[in-house]
Amino acid sequence: MDLNYNIFRDLLLRKKHYNSILLCGSFFELPVMFVLNNITDIDVMYSIKNIVALQDCDDKRKFENFKILHIDTSNCHIGFARIIASSDIAVFYKRPQEPRTARYSGPSSKLIMNFKKEWNYFHNFLKICDRKWAKQPKLKTDFVYALCCPSWPVVANEWKTRQRENGWPSVDVIDKIVHSGCHLVFKPHLSNPDDDTQWRFSFSQAELILIQSWTHVQKYIYHILRLIKSEIVKECGGENETVLCTYFFKTLMLWSCEEKPEEFWREENMETAADELLCIMIEWLIDKRCPNYFIPANNMIDYLRKDENLDKEISILLNFRENFLPKFLELNAFSSSELTLHLEVPNKLWERILLILVKWFSTNTSEWSYLESSLRISDNFLPELSYLYQSLQIQLCSITSKSENLTTISDALQLFDFAKKNADETFSITVLPLGLSIVDFMQHICKRMQSSQINTARGDGYETVVSDLGYFTKVVNCRGEYQQSEGCCYMPEGKQQNRISKLESASSRLSDLRMTGAEAKLQKTQMILEPFLKILTHEWKSSSFFIVAAYQANCFYTCLRDYKSAIRQCEETRQYLNTLKEKTRQTNTGKMQNLLNVVLVNDWSILFDDHLQVLLGFLTLAHRSRCATQNRSQNFTRIVVHLFTMEFLDYIRFQSARKLKRKKTVTYKCDFQDAVRQLFHEDKNHRVVSRILLLTAIRISGIKPTRIGETFYQVQWPC
């Protein structure tokens, strides 16, 4: 079958996983201005798209193409359930086995991001927002595996019909939440913490929708309660020394928004409102009662013993309310929701943001679906991919015709070079409302895309742009400021170092200035970000640079057999990546070069070496064997494998060095057990699969990998 350009784009932009992602927690729920002033964890909930957990009352005919699990709430604490894998056999479904390198705490796996070490410039920006970032430059990300429950749980039916005297939430919001269903997360009730069969009902998606409907005053009061909670936890000796957690205060806010009248939430009553809410929390602790907002019968602290003493938390809260609350509100003054940040953002950055959204995020909303489909078909998004496609077509024709026409191959190499250098060197005036949450902002992007035509063009000079986002009002070409060299935007080394020095000195001067309110802090933030964004404009190449470099190196290796040029291409790409890390003070660049991966597909298998062709043939045979055993049609099926770009370049460099009889070593990190388990699993880890396939291709070529640790394998030539 012919692999046309649209299919090629779709394969390159295909998602790296089959998960549905839900961004939840305070980091995404609250306005940016509050998040930056209070260090908070990032919570990401993910579920496998084709797995659903259904109740007995659900219509299973709607989910014929899904793997169906069954929810069993019998003999479970209210708000919890067990999941039965089959309706015929009572086998309990547990959290899927993850790689042995994963770190778990409760229902989540952890990832620690060190801004000071990995994102130095961004750390300067965070220190301006809140001095606490200087002492704690790390941010923890919790990845929570969840099961999608597409229908509203029976145990929470009371929430749908509850009498609400103050009209919150509205009927439309209630309907939206009920139709969105809920999730189940792997978490047993604390009265039996070792039970590995229990799952807890999670309403994170509903909470996100509810908080979006809050007024700015309500969001501010919740922000204040979170800050107070942090102070109380410190006084108690840490999170492990107290039952208090952020979710209790979120629950308090949800109940209060429903029960308190509109005048309670007026700006002039904020201190009174905060005081009254603290009194309610104190009452809850005295009664050892914290009713879940969606399932009131679920007392979230009923696992505590009757003789458990909460006097410490109660006394600290009382003392804080009576002696420190007014001063605390003064120190964390209320800011207008109209504050905005105006930045000249490189279009390269916007391009990467959109690419990350397309490749890594997936939700069930129509807005996100529109965003994905629009960017996949838009010729103005990553237009250099058309040059890459043309060069691969020329290479393919040259191989199939068995003609090494140097003029034709020269045209292909020129297209490769043009694709690498075709970067958008412009930037856009972007307005960032700090009163919006990150989720609000992302949804706003989707809505603006729906109401605007994609009409972005690259080129020289000044031009007006109707952009994908509807945010770009003015595009200024920065090539007038920098010198142009070999078709790329270039800044002389001395001028570049001067910019970096100015950025660092500006950061040190700003730290000495006295804060004069939200507007002053906003101005300082802008002074920090603008030089950094201009440096990115110079240092970053196009989003397609790494993928084009990989295909070009492969052309030298397989088509031209020019092994020296193949090695040089691999080494220059690696050197650019290392230089990028050094000059932007950013060591965590792993996602950048892997946004687009090399596509190994049976339509174009002859573009690759014999070893990868054998591997693809094996995968095709295995797929057909599976179809035969499952009595499925064996018509043409496109086998697609994504090889991670830098690892593919390492493979080409190693094989080219072998051809030249040079000494070379390449190391891949992978767990064979995990790789074999995931190879034919639809929720496979593409990076693990990429590594195991490249190692297998090297083994097919006659070199046996050597294990040098639990998960590291090394290949060396000569052996």
Side-chain angles (χ1 to χ4, degrees):
M1 289 184 68
D2 181 34
L3 189 67
N4 61 42
Y5 177 59
N6 289 332
I7 296 176
F8 178 66
R9 277 184 64 96
D10 183 68
L11 292 177
L12 282 179
L13 296 174
R14 182 170 293 180
K15 291 192 178 300
K16 290 185 177 293
H17 48 66
Y18 295 84
N19 295 338
S20 180
I21 303 294
L22 177 64
L23 306 176
C24 51
S26 301
F27 188 90
F28 299 105
E29 293 167 343
L30 289 177
V32 173
M33 63 174 67
F34 298 152
V35 173
L36 293 177
N37 279 325
N38 185 30
I39 303 174
T40 180
D41 296 344
I42 297 176
D43 296 318
V44 179
M45 183 181 290
Y46 68 97
S47 57
I48 301 175
K49 282 186 174 181
N50 70 334
I51 297 180
V52 293
L54 301 183
Q55 304 170 101
D56 292 338
C57 58
D58 292 331
D59 185 358
K60 298 175 178 58
R61 293 173 297 178
K62 297 179 180 178
F63 304 95
E64 292 179 352
N65 297 323
F66 290 76
K67 178 179 179 179
I68 297 177
L69 303 174
H70 302 270
I71 300 174
D72 179 15
T73 57
S74 62
N75 301 317
C76 291
H77 188 282
I78 188 166
F80 292 77
R82 290 185 174 87
I83 306 301
I84 300 177
S86 170
S87 58
D88 301 323
I89 306 173
V91 177
F92 293 127
Y93 181 82
K94 302 178 183 180
R95 177 171 55 189
Q97 182 184 357
E98 296 285 348
R100 288 178 287 176
T101 52
R103 290 174 292 175
Y104 286 104
S105 176
S108 65
S109 57
K110 308 290 184 183
L111 175 66
I112 305 296
M113 185 182 298
N114 190 327
F115 287 114
K116 189 173 183 179
K117 179 180 178 182
E118 301 175 352
W119 300 80
N120 186 265
Y121 290 125
F122 192 55
H123 184 233
N124 288 335
F125 158 62
L126 291 173
K127 286 191 294 186
I128 290 296
C129 299
D130 194 324
R131 294 171 183 171
K132 287 184 290 187
W133 285 103
K135 299 179 181 179
Q136 185 178 339
K138 296 181 180 180
L139 191 61
K140 183 174 66 175
T141 304
D142 293 334
F143 294 94
V144 180
Y145 176 73
L147 294 172
C148 176
C149 179
S151 62
W152 190 251
V154 174
V155 71
N157 275 343
E158 180 272 342
W159 184 83
K160 295 191 300 184
T161 58
R162 186 182 297 168
Q163 294 296 317
R164 297 175 171 92
E165 297 180 359
N166 299 300
W168 187 91
S170 66
V171 174
D172 291 341
V173 169
I174 294 172
D175 289 342
K176 181 178 181 180
I177 288 173
V178 170
H179 284 94
S180 298
C182 68
H183 292 85
L184 288 148
V185 298
F186 184 77
K187 178 72 173 177
H189 188 259
L190 289 177
S191 62
N192 189 11
D194 297 326
D195 186 346
D196 62 355
T197 65
Q198 282 195 43
W199 296 69
R200 184 187 69 204
F201 283 101
S202 171
F203 299 92
S204 294
Q205 186 164 298
E207 291 159 8
L208 188 63
I209 296 171
L210 288 170
I211 292 176
Q212 285 179 306
S213 70
W214 283 356
T215 66
H216 190 63
V217 170
Q218 289 170 327
K219 293 175 182 178
Y220 168 74
I221 292 177
Y222 178 45
H223 168 62
I224 291 297
L225 292 176
R226 291 179 63 251
L227 291 175
I228 293 174
K229 171 258 173 187
S230 298
E231 296 297 325
I232 304 303
V233 168
K234 287 180 185 178
E235 290 289 328
C236 290
E239 293 181 353
N240 296 328
E241 303 299 323
T242 177
V243 300
L244 277 179
C245 63
T246 302
Y247 192 73
F248 290 177
F249 285 92
K250 178 189 282 189
T251 301
L252 172 63
M253 275 297 301
L254 291 171
W255 278 113
S256 300
C257 288
E258 181 174 298
E259 295 173 348
K260 302 298 182 184
E262 183 179 349
E263 54 269 18
F264 181 85
W265 303 108
R266 290 176 183 167
E267 185 175 341
E268 60 269 20
N269 296 329
M270 289 189 299
E271 182 178 337
T272 303
D275 180 82
E276 186 168 333
L277 294 181
L278 288 179
C279 287
I280 297 175
M281 179 57 70
I282 291 169
E283 290 178 6
W284 282 4
L285 293 178
I286 292 173
D287 297 337
K288 292 183 181 176
R289 180 179 61 90
C290 184
N292 183 278
Y293 175 65
F294 298 95
I295 309 175
N298 177 16
N299 176 11
M300 295 186 290
I301 54 176
D302 63 358
Y303 63 90
L304 295 175
R305 301 188 312 271
K306 292 183 178 180
D307 60 345
E308 186 119 16
N309 193 340
L310 299 180
D311 290 348
K312 187 175 182 180
E313 288 89 343
I314 294 169
S315 62
I316 294 174
L317 277 170
L318 282 170
N319 183 52
F320 194 95
R321 169 183 166 268
E322 294 171 357
N323 300 314
F324 299 105
L325 183 59
K327 183 65 176 178
F328 193 78
L329 292 171
E330 183 181 339
L331 290 173
N332 298 276
F334 179 75
S335 300
S336 169
S337 61
E338 304 300 321
L339 285 176
T340 56
L341 193 63
H342 294 257
L343 294 170
E344 295 176 350
V345 179
N347 284 341
K348 292 178 185 178
L349 179 57
W350 278 119
E351 192 173 68
R352 275 169 174 74
I353 291 173
L354 289 173
L355 186 55
I356 289 171
L357 293 179
V358 169
K359 292 284 286 184
W360 290 96
F361 288 94
S362 177
T363 68
N364 297 323
T365 62
S366 58
E367 294 91 350
W368 281 104
S369 299
Y370 183 86
L371 173 66
E372 294 174 19
S373 59
S374 297
L375 292 178
R376 280 201 176 94
I377 65 175
S378 171
D379 290 335
N380 293 313
F381 180 63
L382 303 177
E384 61 271 16
L385 293 181
S386 64
Y387 303 120
L388 173 60
Y389 177 79
Q390 292 174 47
S391 61
L392 293 177
Q393 284 280 34
I394 293 173
Q395 184 183 348
L396 192 65
C397 291
S398 175
I399 295 173
T400 53
S401 64
K402 298 182 180 180
S403 170
E404 295 188 5
N405 188 321
L406 295 180
T407 302
T408 302
I409 296 298
S410 176
D411 291 340
L413 294 178
Q414 288 181 7
L415 284 167
F416 277 128
D417 288 335
F418 193 73
K420 285 195 296 184
K421 296 173 182 178
N422 188 39
D424 190 344
E425 305 296 350
T426 61
F427 57 91
S428 305
I429 309 300
T430 303
V431 178
L432 176 63
L434 298 184
L436 290 180
S437 68
I438 295 176
V439 168
D440 288 333
F441 188 67
M442 293 168 71
Q443 290 181 349
H444 190 51
I445 289 175
C446 295
K447 291 178 181 178
R448 293 297 293 267
M449 281 198 65
Q450 285 183 313
S451 62
S452 63
Q453 295 290 326
I454 297 177
N455 188 29
T456 309
R458 294 181 180 178
D460 295 331
Y462 292 79
E463 53 187 319
T464 303
V465 169
V466 179
S467 75
D468 294 358
L469 307 179
Y471 279 104
F472 307 160
T473 57
K474 181 181 179 183
V475 174
V476 183
N477 192 314
C478 65
R479 292 191 181 187
E481 180 180 353
Y482 303 139
Q483 296 179 5
Q484 186 174 341
S485 173
E486 300 180 357
C488 295
C489 180
Y490 172 75
M491 184 193 293
E493 186 69 22
K495 192 171 183 180
Q496 174 195 343
Q497 293 298 330
N498 185 39
R499 279 189 177 275
I500 294 176
S501 299
K502 286 182 178 179
L503 173 62
E504 292 173 341
S505 62
S507 174
S508 62
R509 289 198 310 271
L510 288 173
S511 63
D512 296 330
L513 295 177
R514 185 175 181 180
M515 293 293 181
T516 57
E519 290 78 9
K521 186 179 292 189
L522 192 64
Q523 185 178 7
K524 296 174 188 178
T525 300
Q526 191 155 331
M527 289 174 64
I528 282 289
L529 285 180
E530 284 186 345
F532 173 55
L533 292 174
K534 288 183 179 179
I535 288 176
L536 289 185
T537 304
H538 163 65
E539 294 296 343
W540 278 4
K541 298 182 184 293
S542 72
S543 300
S544 306
F545 174 82
F546 291 101
I547 183 71
V548 175
Y551 275 110
Q552 187 174 20
N554 184 68
C555 179
F556 283 126
Y557 167 54
T558 59
C559 186
L560 294 176
R561 300 181 184 88
D562 184 353
Y563 305 122
K564 291 183 179 179
S565 295
I567 292 173
R568 183 173 60 252
Q569 179 71 61
C570 295
E571 291 177 345
E572 287 177 354
T573 307
R574 175 67 68 178
Q575 180 60 39
Y576 164 67
L577 182 62
N578 293 336
T579 302
L580 187 65
K581 293 177 183 179
E582 178 184 349
K583 292 187 176 180
T584 61
R585 312 288 176 85
Q586 175 187 336
T587 60
N588 186 9
T589 54
K591 292 289 190 289
M592 183 182 301
Q593 71 268 23
N594 290 320
L595 287 175
L596 295 171
N597 300 141
V598 174
V599 177
L600 180 60
V601 58
N602 41 10
D603 304 63
W604 284 3
S605 62
I606 58 175
L607 290 176
F608 302 92
D609 67 11
D610 294 341
H611 319 305
L612 289 173
Q613 289 184 46
V614 169
L615 197 56
L616 192 59
F618 167 74
L619 293 175
T620 304
L621 181 63
H623 174 77
R624 291 182 178 177
S625 176
R626 290 181 67 196
C627 290
T629 57
Q630 298 173 8
N631 296 322
R632 287 157 51 188
S633 171
Q634 296 191 39
N635 296 332
F636 175 81
T637 301
R638 180 173 285 114
I639 303 298
V640 180
V641 177
H642 288 88
L643 301 176
F644 273 56
T645 307
M646 295 307 299
E647 292 161 3
F648 179 69
L649 284 166
D650 289 339
Y651 171 82
I652 291 176
R653 184 172 57 167
F654 177 80
Q655 297 287 27
S656 297
R658 280 189 63 206
K659 298 291 185 180
L660 296 174
K661 301 187 183 305
R662 295 180 182 177
K663 185 176 181 180
K664 203 65 190 173
T665 300
V666 63
T667 302
Y668 291 114
K669 179 183 179 182
C670 65
D671 187 318
F672 270 88
Q673 293 182 15
D674 288 331
V676 171
R677 179 176 59 83
Q678 296 185 61
L679 188 56
F680 296 104
H681 194 280
E682 62 180 1
D683 189 40
K684 54 182 170 286
N685 182 322
H686 286 275
R687 185 157 203 163
V688 172
V689 172
S690 171
R691 288 170 175 170
I692 193 65
L693 292 180
L694 290 172
L695 274 172
T696 305
I698 292 175
R699 183 68 183 93
I700 292 172
S701 69
I703 308 298
K704 184 178 180 179
T706 303
R707 184 167 180 169
I708 56 170
E710 185 178 358
T711 57
F712 283 91
Y713 290 83
Q714 187 178 84
V715 183
Q716 184 173 324
W717 175 263
C719 298

